Every structure is written in structure tokens, then in C-alpha cells.
Amino acid sequence: MQHDARTVVVSNSSETLDVLASVLRFSKSLSARKGVLMTFLFIASVIGGAYYVTADRVYQSEGELLIMKSGANVLDANNGGAKVVTDDMPTFEKMMKSDEVIRATMKSLPREHYGDFLGVHASNWERVFRSRLSVTTARDTNIMSVAYRSGSPETAMVVVDSLLAQYIQYVNQIFKQDAADRLQLLYDQRDEVQDRLKVTIEKHGALLETSALVVEEGEKITNIHAESVRQLNQAKIEAAERRSAAHEFYTHLQAAVADGEDLTNYVMQMSSEIGTDLLQKQLGIDSGANSVASHQWEDIVDAEAKLQDKLEHLGPNHPSVRQLQTEIQTKRQRLLELPIDAKQAADNVMQTAIGPQLLALQERRYHLAVNHEKNINESLAAASQRASELNGQLSIINSEKNNIDQLRARLDKLNNAIDSVALDEKHQLHTQITGPPQLETAPVSPKLSLVVVMSLFLGFVAACATIYVMDLLDDRFHSPDDLRSQLGVPILAMVQRLNPIGDRGIRSLHTYARANSPESEAFRTLRTALEFTGNGSRKLTISSTEPGDGKTTVLANLAVAYAQSGKRTLVIDGDMRRPGLTRLFHRNGQSGLASVLRDKRPILDSVIGAIQQTEMDNLHVLPAGPRPVNPVELLSSDRLSELLAWAETSYDQILIDAPPSLAVTDAAIIGRLVDGAILTVRPDRNRRKLVLRASEALTSLGCNLLGVVINSMQARSDEYGYAYGHGEYGHDDPIGSDFHNDHSYDEDSMPELVGSSVGRSRDRSSTRVRRRRAA
């Protein structure tokens, strides 16, 4: 996220810089085309002056009107009456512009002040009057400002004075009517509403008495049958549940009886009394058996008491004692057998008698539930019918109740209106002129200061728009910055217009003939810029957009600058179609690049006799040679890469003069084999689109475009920061045709190249050729 934030910040900064750069470029355009700017400003000033002189003078008069109620202190901000007036000021402003006030004002005007309506139809007088009228109120005040504009200062003052007088009269007419008439009207309306309210209340009460509706606390009216319907609906739901449960229980009980299952649980659910009795019998604790066991236990206790008495007087074998013991034992045995007999009896009863009885009882209960549900449904239908009938009555009663509420609200409004009218009798609206209109002899239009400012502003805007359109239509680069931003590459050097020296060959080059001149310094700057490119610049090619841009002159002077710095420099004329470098060094008709590329011998054998030495020891030239039929095929062969590989082993700097990039593809082919390319541009003659296309032609095929050299620049500062002059020197046309420097490049004249470097040159050149082919 932090990375994204930094990216956004950088993007915003870049956009800001682009905007600033655009503004700066446009400011330079304005400065360069200051003649256009001054022309438009002058024209705008003339038009503004003519307007100021010929425009009709408009005069304005203004008056102020205070509006307040009696009993209100205008200086008291918390006064209620003043607050009410302040809130109503927009209404008073509209009243000032109302048709009644304007018509009354125009009728009161003398005829000599009708000059503003000359030539206007009478039906449009009010519209014209309203357009010249201005009514404003300062915030939180009750002072109204009224202003009127006219062609005559006297008319403006008279109109404002008459308008204020008619407005005061109109306000008095509205707010000071007969209060008794208004009160009487309100009293009549209140009596009528009271009568209607009385009749409606009586009708509402009669409807309530004749209906079965119940009035609860708070005058809420309730339909009792609606409540009965709700209760019956609830009972209907419960009856349906009981009927369903009875049917389900009967079905399960019938299946249990048929299967001979234990019916104890069913008995327990049907009747708690029957269920408890049978359960006791099954457990051996029948209620009847309990009574018998109690009596048996009492007999046993009595017998044991008698046995104890007899044992005190008789022995254990006495007949009476033994009889009592036998009797006690028999009773104890009988007492133990009673629960078993009771349980067996209960089981027999459960299977033989209770089952059918339970089925019959549950069947009756099911039929009772069905009949109960049916009765509830009938009662519900009857109650719903009665409730529906009462709802119609309830709707009528509620309608009457709404009428009562509306009449009461109307009665309250009438009472409030009566109180308000009574209060207005004590607090009447008052108007007073606090600032009478004055005769103003200074016109409000036209104003000299405003005319001057607007004239200059409009002239400046028109000039900016014109210059912007001119810049769009002008298909030239306006400045070096514009050229750099459009191409996206740096400007390596800016070469001034070079005046012809008058000599031939290398002596016609400024860097050789006038090494310390300011013109030569541009090529040393170019040499330094290339050394610091960081991308490698041993093998360079120079091209241009069109023929005649001075690429050959730039290359030749740059080669001399490299040679002067102590570097062994080789210049190759790669323009075999129009060999300008060959003509510059007066090497016409000799073998050269075309001969080397067509030769089948090794490169070292081919270059001997083709490379020529110049008057500088470190500078050699390879002419174009005889014009070939197929320059593209020769340049596309492996011989050119082998030649460059060999040259790297023998020279510190290699410069190739390539044809214009838009004319043929030779420059792009050469550019792929070297470290970088330089584009020579003459903004005075090269159109923007052509330069962009030339740049794209180089880079689209993989050529490394290092930068641009601006050629034939004038030394003086001009409209675009620099003036692009039309120099006659610095083009590809031949400088001379009678150069006679015929230093040939052979083994005798160049022992250093041929003697000591032959062996390693062959090895290094072949190795580099193999590497390039592998790559």
C-alpha cells in the first residue's frame, strides 16, 4: 500500500510538472509572438475606446425606504415586530416591482421624463421600466434600497421619488383597511362554523345511540361484534385441535384393543379416576381388597393377643394354643394371596370389558368435538355478519367525527385570525423614506476603468486563443524543449549556422580550420555528450529526416573532433546512393564501401586500398565507392558486420554517414549494427510529423537512438527561444568537387595498421564476426 501511495505521489508530481512545462512553453509562445499579442491588445483597446466614446450614458439615482411596525424599535435586534418585518422583506420587494405600483408611478410621471420609453410600444413600457429598476435589501435589516437607471439623471431621480411615494400609498391602502369590516366578516364566518359544528355533533351522538358500538375512554369507538368474531376465531382453532386429537386418540385406541395391547396408558389419559383404580388393581392394591386385608390384619392381631394370654397360663402344646396358632397362620396366608387375586381380576376386566367401553367412550367424545366445532363455525358466521353490518355504521360515525375535527380546526383558525386583526389595530405597518433620491451627474455606465480592464482582458484572451491555434497549425517545433518532449530523446548538441570557409575537403570543416571558434565548440560538446551516454558509443551512425539537413557536415566535424582528442577515427560513407561524405573528402571514383561489401576476399584484404587517410593522422575515411544497383542487399549482408568487427580492432571511434531515414531503409539497417544512432534535425525546414516518423523508423527496427543534433541554429534569441535560420552550409550537397587530397590507404603509407596489426587484426575480426553471427 505504501508503494501504491508513493506511485500516486510520483504520478501526481509528474502531471504537475507536465502542466507547468506546458504553461512555460505557452508563455514562450506568447513571448515569441508578442507582435500578435500586442496587435490584439491594440485592437481591443481601440474597440473599447470607441465603445466608451459612442456608448449611451446611463445615470442612476437611489433612495432608501424604512419599513417597520408601530410599537417596534428598529434599533432593537430582539424586538418581535422588527423581526417580523425583516422576515417579510422579500415580499415587500416584490410589491415594489408589482404591476400596480409601476402603473401608478408611470401615470404620475411628467411627460418630459418619458424619454426612456421612446420607440417602445406602450404594452412593453412596464417591462422596460422593470428592467431598469433595482430593489435590494441588506441582510437582517428592514431598509429597502431602490435604484433606477435612465439616460437622464433628472429622470432617474424623479422616477425613484415618484416610485417611493406610490409604494407608500399602496402599502397604506393594503395594510390600513377598515378593521371593523374585516372583523365582522370573520365573526360571520365563525358563527356559521359554530352552527355546523353543533348540528354535526348531534348527528354523531344519535348514530352512536342507535348502533351497537361501544365508546371507550378517550372517545375510542369499538365494534363489540368484531371482538366476538376474534374470540370465536380463537375458539374455532381450539375446537379443531380437540377434534383432531380425539380422532387420532380413537384410531390408536382401536388398534390397541384389536392387537390386545395393554390399555393402561389409554385409560390414564381418558379418566384419571378409572385409570387410578385399575392401576391399583394391577399392582395388587385394589380398594376393596384393601378393606378385606385390613379386617384380616385386625383378626390376626386379636388372635396373637389371645395367644399370648393363653401362653401365660397354658403350655405350647395345649389344644387351644395350637388352634390359635393354626388360625393365625391361615389368616396370614390369606392376607398374602389377596393382591395376586386382585391383579388377575383387573387384567380380566381390562381385556373383556374396559376395552370396548373405552372405545365407546372415546367415540362419543370424538362426536362431541365434531359437533362443538360445527356450533362454533355457525356462531362465527353469524357474528361476522353482524360485525360487517356494524362496520358500515362505524364508517359513517367516523366520517361525522372527522367533520367535527375539521370544523373545530376551522373555528380555531377563525379565532386566531380575529385575534390577529385585533392586534394589527395596535401595531400598524409604517413606511418612511430615510434616503431621498439625489441627482447624480456621474454616469454609472460606461465606466472607464471597467472598459479598460475588459478591453485588455478580452484582447489578451483573443490573442492567446489565436496564438494557440497558430501553434496547432504550425507543424514545426517551437523550441528545443518542444523537440525533446516530442521525440522523447535528449538534445545532444545545437550547432549554429556555419558560414562557408571557402576551402575544400577537410580544410572546409570548422573543427579543422577553426578549431577554437565558437562554432567548433558545439561539436566538442557533442563528442562529450556521446562519451557520457553510458550505452557505448564506439560505433555510431548519423542520419537525418530529409536530404540537405547537414548530417554529413555534422559527422565530418564530429570525426575531426574525435581525431583531435587522440582517438583513431574511421568515417564510413554509408550513403551509397548520394555519397556526400565521399564528395566532401574528394574521393569520387575510388573504391570504397561498395567494393568491400561486394568483395569475396577477407575483410583485411578488401579494405587495403579502400580506406583513405586524410590530412589528420588519426582520421581515415572509407568512401562509398562505385554506386551499386542494390545498396540494401549489400548493407544487409554479413560483410558489413564483418567490416565493423574488424574496424573495432583497429580504431577507437567509427562513424557511419547513413542516408535519410525516411527516404530508404539503409539507415535502419546500419543502425542495428552500431551502438547508437544520431538524428540530425533542422527545425527551420523539417516538419514535426516527418521528424517523428524518422525517429520511429529508426527505433521500430531496434536501433538505439541516442539523441538529436539541432543543426543550423542562429546565435540570436528569437521568438521560440532560438531562431532556426536557413543556412546554406550544413547540408548534404557537395561542398566542392575538386578536392585533390589523394592520400591512399595502402600498406606503404600505413605501416602501423598493416604491419604490426595484420596478424591480430585478422584473428580479432574473425572472432568478432563469429560472435555476431552467433548472436
Side-chain angles (χ1 to χ4, degrees), residues 69-72 179 419-430:
K69 287 188 176 181
S70 59
D419 296 338
S420 177
V421 172
L423 183 63
D424 287 342
E425 292 181 349
K426 299 179 181 180
H427 298 281
Q428 291 291 338
L429 191 68
H430 292 278

Side-chain angles (χ1 to χ4, degrees), residues 30 33-47 455-456 458-464 466-467 470:
L30 289 178
R33 299 184 185 274
K34 52 182 174 291
V36 177
L37 177 62
M38 298 305 296
T39 300
F40 273 90
L41 291 178
F42 174 75
I43 294 174
S45 300
V46 171
I47 295 175
S455 299
L456 295 178
L458 294 177
F460 180 77
V461 171
C464 290
T466 303
I467 292 174
M470 292 174 65

